[in-house]
Amino acid sequence: MKEFAPIPLGEWVSDGIDRLTREYATAFDSISFVIYELIDALQSGLHAIPAPWFIVLLSLLAVLAAGWRRPGGWGLGLFTLVGLGLVWNLRLWDDLITTLSLVLASEALVLLVGIPLGIASAKSAMVERILRPVLDVMQTMPAFVYLVPAVIFFGLGLVPGVISTTIFALPPLIRLTSLGIRQVPRELVEAALAFGATWWQLLTKVQVPVALPAIMAGVNQSIMLGLSMVVIAAMIGAGGLGNVVLEGITQLDVGKGFVGGLAVVILAIVLDRITQSMGKIYQQKRKPR
């Protein structure tokens, strides 16, 4: 049986990446500079707050977000206080701040890109048809694959970690923003248009506020995916708690790997509960009494 030559798909992709690297090196350097400055500003700001004060402030935020009149709110605050206190005691505070800075920088880019794309997807059937297969590929692609082009374009360090994390965490926010906008009751839209609302007023005063619980769910999911990717990004020099876990794996040090993983879990639970609580509070405020 005659054998057919394989399609050189990998070579085409490699050639395309090499061409982009050569022709747009200045643009990539500019992007790298902006992202690095953002991470540096976040790290400097977070490090400027003494660890005990930071723990107390985040614990109070957790109580307020979950509701200070509810037992669950004080429970979340106590968990935040004890959990972050444990991370500080384990001498992992600097690594936690690095990881938190990476997550916040990535989430800022996710919000900047994801919400407009989600709105555009909800408003235009053509945009939705274009984005759907792209998002499917982004969500099913193995996480490690994102590290390769990030390293080629931006080298090693913090910046490629943020870029790969942003791409990995982007799809949930786009999908849930689009879903939330599409689920806004038609009666509200028609009433706003009947009162002479412009498209911008309709979007900012009706559609986005009503869709905010879905958008907050997308923010929550993107933060969780970002945390998982930040750990993987330690393989390309992103540092943080992921580096502690990676050292535990490479050195076959079970204890070190467990401690690093525990710190990641504590940070993930705190961020998850706070963002979930914020979405629930807003949703409850909008319920008619």
Side-chain angles (χ1 to χ4, degrees), residues 112-134:
L112 186 64
V113 176
I115 292 180
L117 284 179
I119 293 172
S121 176
K123 296 285 188 179
S124 171
M126 183 181 69
V127 174
E128 196 272 337
R129 285 196 297 268
I130 294 172
L131 283 179
R132 183 186 300 172
V134 175

Side-chain angles (χ1 to χ4, degrees), residues 8-269:
L9 184 59
E11 296 179 8
W12 293 345
V13 173
S14 298
D15 292 341
I17 295 295
D18 292 339
R19 184 176 179 180
L20 288 174
T21 306
R22 289 193 306 269
E23 295 184 1
Y24 299 98
T26 303
F28 290 130
D29 289 340
S30 300
I31 295 172
S32 179
F33 174 78
V34 171
I35 294 176
Y36 183 81
E37 290 297 318
L38 174 61
I39 300 171
D40 186 62
L42 286 170
Q43 284 186 325
S44 299
L46 294 176
H47 276 298
I49 306 173
W53 283 103
F54 188 94
I55 294 171
V56 171
L57 290 174
L58 197 59
S59 300
L60 290 175
L61 176 62
V63 172
L64 294 174
W68 65 273
R69 294 183 178 180
R70 300 178 179 180
W74 291 101
L76 177 59
L78 180 62
F79 175 84
T80 304
L81 184 67
V82 174
L84 295 182
L86 176 62
V87 174
W88 182 36
N89 177 263
L90 293 173
R91 305 294 189 272
L92 295 176
W93 188 255
D94 289 341
D95 295 314
L96 182 138
I97 292 298
T98 299
T99 297
L100 183 59
S101 301
L102 289 172
V103 171
L104 293 178
S106 302
E107 190 61 24
L109 296 177
V110 167
L111 292 173
L112 186 64
V113 176
I115 292 180
L117 284 179
I119 293 172
S121 176
K123 296 285 188 179
S124 171
M126 183 181 69
V127 174
E128 196 272 337
R129 285 196 297 268
I130 294 172
L131 283 179
R132 183 186 300 172
V134 175
L135 296 177
D136 289 341
V137 172
M138 290 172 66
Q139 287 190 293
T140 54
M141 186 74 70
F144 290 94
V145 176
Y146 293 111
L147 302 181
V148 179
V151 170
I152 293 174
F153 289 140
F154 302 101
L156 297 174
L158 296 171
V159 175
V162 170
I163 294 294
S164 57
T165 302
T166 300
I167 297 173
F168 186 69
L170 191 58
L173 183 60
I174 296 177
R175 290 188 186 276
L176 287 170
T177 300
S178 176
L179 178 64
I181 297 292
R182 291 177 185 273
Q183 288 182 337
V184 174
R186 184 177 299 177
E187 294 80 7
L188 289 178
V189 176
E190 292 176 351
L193 293 175
F195 279 100
T198 63
W199 71 270
W200 179 252
Q201 291 172 330
L202 175 65
L203 178 65
T204 57
K205 296 183 181 297
V206 178
Q207 292 177 314
V208 170
V210 174
L212 195 56
I215 296 174
M216 286 301 298
V219 171
N220 175 269
Q221 292 300 308
S222 62
I223 289 176
M224 293 301 100
L225 287 175
L227 266 173
S228 66
M229 189 63 188
V230 161
V231 176
I232 297 174
M235 298 179 63
I236 56 175
L241 295 172
N243 197 48
V244 179
V245 177
L246 185 63
E247 288 179 359
I249 295 173
T250 55
Q251 298 171 9
L252 297 179
D253 189 338
V254 179
K256 190 171 189 177
F258 174 80
V259 167
L262 179 63
V264 173
V265 169
I266 291 172
L267 181 59
I269 292 175

